[in-house]
Amino acid sequence: MSKIEKVQRWLVDNGQDIALISNPKTIQYLTTFYSDPHERVLMLIVFKNKEPFMFAPALETEAIKDSGWTSPVYGYLDHENPWKIIADQVHARNTAEDHIAIEKDALTIDRLELIQKCFPTSHFSADLTPLINNMRVIKTSDEIEKLKIAGKWDDFALKSGIEAVKVGRTENQVAAELQYALMKNGIMELSFPSLVQSAAHAAEPHGATSNKKIENNKLVLFDLGTVWDGYISDASRTIAVGKPDQKSLDIYHVCLEAQLTAQAAAKPGITAEELDKVARDVITKAGYGDYFIHRLGHGMGMSEHEFPSIMEGNTMQLQPGMCFSIEPGIYIPNVAGVRIEDCVHITENGCEPFTHMTKELQYVEG
């Protein structure tokens, strides 16, 4: 059964007539075509008993056909009303349209209201998002192979970034060096903007790479990822420049123990919240529990952050084929920040990481 046939089966089983799919990543997952339409409209329309069609800006229609999509494609010009064209194509198929499912996590209220004007008697209460999440959460062997290649390039990028670290260079300069190294090897797309944070700046988990200069006797945190054939990598390493103080070294080794312990515990049957607790208990026992301020991990695949979250309150049992990050962190304001991360996939009896750069503390000469 194809992915779109699974959506059609869900429509039948849940009393729905049509699915309006608007998340570009979901469209890519179901069709292999990806484009960020920005302010324009890109949609996949799936019927329970009719052939689906794609709707896109006119400037994208040929690319959709070239991607291998063989069902109808309709385009629109910027001055045209896309919602009316979509509605006209649906009406022309003379099919039931009383119940229309949407991705509630992707469709804005503004766009929903515009669609409702074109389908005034239809109901839009059904949410397609849980189905898509459950389809995407178990990766196929082909998907895992792509993730492995992305991970290989992440290892290369980490190595290039670490080699670029020098006292007095800025975080931005180091990030530029590793990104240039990737580009020279044909890797043009990153999972997210590369993160390089030094010294106390690394205590801001979502801080951006900056023009701050790298200091001697401090830690430097890397968080970066690459994209291979639509699938991403994501890994974090923290290194030492010169001889950091004992406090920084202590939090590094606690964080490392937490990461290694959790990675060893990741296997089928353990729940997401149990795995989070494995790492959190190590950090809490060492006295740094208040400084581990985010979940242990997130799902990954075609997107950097996917379903499920590896965190307290999520009782989902891990299964073979699930892919997610294991990334404990300790962030002490005005002192230092450490995060160590690998993304893994669950196997029949454990897990395997996609990245293999050493996690033992690496020292760069100051």
Side-chain angles (χ1 to χ4, degrees):
M1 183 183 297
S2 72
K3 293 171 182 175
I4 287 181
E5 286 172 338
K6 289 181 180 178
V7 175
Q8 291 174 317
R9 173 66 62 84
W10 183 91
L11 291 173
V12 171
D13 291 346
N14 288 272
Q16 300 298 306
D17 302 311
I18 302 169
L20 298 182
I21 298 168
S22 55
N23 184 330
K25 282 294 182 181
T26 304
I27 293 172
Q28 181 185 17
Y29 177 73
L30 295 174
T31 72
T32 76
F33 174 77
Y34 177 75
S35 173
D36 182 348
H38 302 291
E39 75 279 6
R40 296 183 174 97
V41 177
L42 173 69
M43 275 201 167
L44 170 64
I45 292 82
V46 179
F47 302 87
K48 67 180 180 183
N49 55 6
K50 300 277 185 179
E51 185 180 23
F53 70 83
M54 289 268 280
F55 182 81
L59 50 82
E60 300 275 19
T61 55
E62 290 305 312
I64 292 173
K65 295 173 186 176
D66 290 344
S67 74
W69 176 257
T70 57
S71 293
V73 181
Y74 304 102
Y76 80 102
L77 301 174
D78 287 339
H79 67 275
E80 295 180 305
N81 182 340
W83 314 110
K84 183 180 184 303
I85 298 173
I86 291 172
D88 288 346
Q89 289 297 336
V90 172
H91 299 329
R93 282 156 171 78
N94 295 314
T95 187
E97 52 188 68
D98 295 328
H99 299 280
I100 300 178
I102 59 174
E103 294 174 283
K104 290 187 177 181
D105 71 339
L107 192 63
T108 65
I109 293 173
D110 175 65
R111 290 193 166 191
L112 176 59
E113 290 175 345
L114 291 169
I115 294 169
Q116 287 173 323
K117 288 180 181 178
C118 297
F119 296 94
T121 63
S122 300
H123 300 279
F124 291 85
S125 57
D127 185 10
L128 199 64
T129 300
L131 169 70
I132 300 301
N133 282 342
N134 284 320
M135 288 175 63
R136 289 177 62 176
V137 74
I138 304 295
K139 270 58 177 182
T140 64
S141 58
D142 178 63
E143 289 178 299
I144 287 174
E145 285 306 309
K146 292 175 181 178
L147 291 165
K148 286 180 179 179
I149 296 173
K152 180 192 75 170
W153 285 110
D154 208 333
D155 282 333
F156 172 82
L158 286 165
K159 180 176 182 293
S160 300
I162 292 168
E163 289 174 350
V165 169
K166 287 183 174 58
V167 173
R169 273 192 175 174
T170 68
E171 297 168 350
N172 279 325
Q173 287 172 329
V174 173
E177 289 282 345
L178 71 88
Q179 288 162 196
Y180 182 51
L182 286 168
M183 293 170 69
K184 287 193 294 184
N185 282 274
I187 306 300
M188 308 303 289
E189 188 177 359
L190 301 174
S191 311
F192 50 90
S194 297
L195 188 64
V196 181
Q197 293 174 286
S198 58
H201 186 206
E204 302 172 23
H206 273 185
T209 302
S210 73
N211 280 321
K212 174 179 171 53
K213 291 184 178 181
I214 291 171
E215 303 170 45
N216 197 18
N217 302 324
K218 300 292 184 180
L219 299 178
V220 178
L221 187 155
F222 289 84
D223 190 347
L224 53 96
T226 63
V227 181
W228 180 265
D229 198 12
Y231 286 79
I232 69 102
S233 61
D234 183 6
S236 300
R237 294 292 186 270
T238 304
I239 66 165
V241 179
K243 297 179 180 179
D245 61 81
Q246 192 59 48
K247 182 77 167 182
S248 297
L249 298 178
D250 286 346
I251 63 174
Y252 183 90
H253 291 298
V254 170
C255 190
L256 176 61
E257 181 185 354
Q259 204 282 336
L260 293 174
T261 304
Q263 192 163 309
K267 61 183 179 181
I270 191 172
T271 68
E273 69 174 3
E274 287 171 343
L275 187 58
D276 178 277
K277 188 174 186 298
V278 167
R280 204 167 297 277
D281 283 352
V282 171
I283 293 174
T284 299
K285 182 179 179 181
Y288 296 112
D290 290 342
Y291 302 105
F292 182 11
I293 52 178
H294 54 71
R295 62 191 171 181
L296 178 64
H298 54 78
M300 51 83 71
M302 298 179 79
S303 304
E304 180 206 345
H305 286 183
E306 291 187 1
F307 175 80
S309 287
I310 309 301
M311 66 179 186
E312 182 180 353
N314 184 0
T315 59
M316 172 181 280
Q317 288 190 339
L318 303 185
Q319 302 174 49
M322 286 185 175
C323 302
F324 53 87
S325 66
I326 298 178
E327 50 178 307
I330 300 173
Y331 314 96
I332 304 178
N334 302 314
V335 177
V338 173
R339 183 165 61 257
I340 303 170
E341 170 190 16
D342 283 320
C343 287
V344 305
H345 65 98
I346 295 295
T347 63
E348 291 300 323
N349 53 18
C351 77
E352 292 182 5
F354 294 114
T355 40
H356 300 278
M357 164 72 73
T358 182
K359 288 177 279 198
E360 291 300 321
L361 184 58
Q362 298 183 66
Y363 287 84
V364 173
E365 186 176 344

